[in-house]
Every structure is written in C-alpha cells, then in structure tokens.
Amino acid sequence: MKLIYTSENRFLVGNAKNIVENAGIEVILKNQYISGGVGELSPLDTWPELWVVHDSDYEKASRLLEDTLNPGDTKEWRCGHCDEINAGSFEYCWKCRTER
Ligand SMILES: [Zn+2]
C-alpha cells in the first residue's frame, strides 16, 4: 500500500479519490474523520490521505492524478521509441502511438 495524495483540503482528497476510483484502481482514505484531539497533533498528522491498495497501481494512479490535477502542465516529453517530441497533454506518441 502506498500513499499517493494528501492535502489539508479534504475536498481535494475526495476529488482525487473519485478520479482514481473511476479508473478502476482500489484506494482507501485515511484520516478522513478526525475525532477531536487536534491540539495534540501537528496539523500535518490530521490531513486526509489517499492510499493505493496495490503498489502495482501506484504509477498509473499518480500519473492520472498528475494529469487531472495539473492540466496546465504542458511539459514536453520525448518518445522512448522514435525520439519524437510530444506535447505534455499527450498520453501516446502522436507519431508511433507508443505509450508515454
Ligand atoms: Zn514515438
């Protein structure tokens, strides 16, 4: 199990959970409900956390979240198969269809 996303804004964490779940990836929320005692914990300890249940899903889920939560990120990438430069929003090489 791996931590994939956390934020002090639990709406954002819930949103991230929906995105990943819709892709068929099993996730769980931790620290979803805080039952008092907040004064004794550092604020970071009480942030809701999104965890992927299966480590093998981690990469897929983190890429999914990155793409969805940072749509403005248009960093270019180079295709490992044909060396073509692709726009950051492309999931596949436009030239040879190799997955990013
Ligand atoms: Zn290519």
Side-chain angles (χ1 to χ4, degrees), residues 17-75:
K17 179 174 181 281
N18 288 336
I19 292 166
V20 177
E21 269 183 345
N22 284 341
I25 296 170
E26 211 177 329
V27 288
I28 62 165
L29 273 180
K30 288 186 176 183
N31 298 343
Q32 188 178 11
Y33 304 107
I34 308 302
S35 53
V38 167
E40 296 161 20
L41 301 166
S42 80
L44 197 62
D45 287 336
T46 62
W47 283 17
E49 295 175 345
L50 186 66
W51 291 70
V52 286
V53 174
H54 306 290
D55 287 7
S56 54
D57 288 334
Y58 179 80
E59 238 176 82
K60 183 182 174 191
S62 67
R63 189 179 306 170
L64 193 66
L65 281 183
E66 214 169 286
D67 289 351
T68 311
L69 300 176
N70 304 304
D73 181 11
T74 53
K75 209 168 147 192

Side-chain angles (χ1 to χ4, degrees), residues 77 79-84 86 92-98:
W77 56 280
C79 174
H81 180 74
C82 72
D83 261 6
E84 190 62 44
N86 289 277
Y92 296 88
C93 174
W94 65 270
K95 196 173 179 184
C96 70
R97 306 297 296 166
T98 298

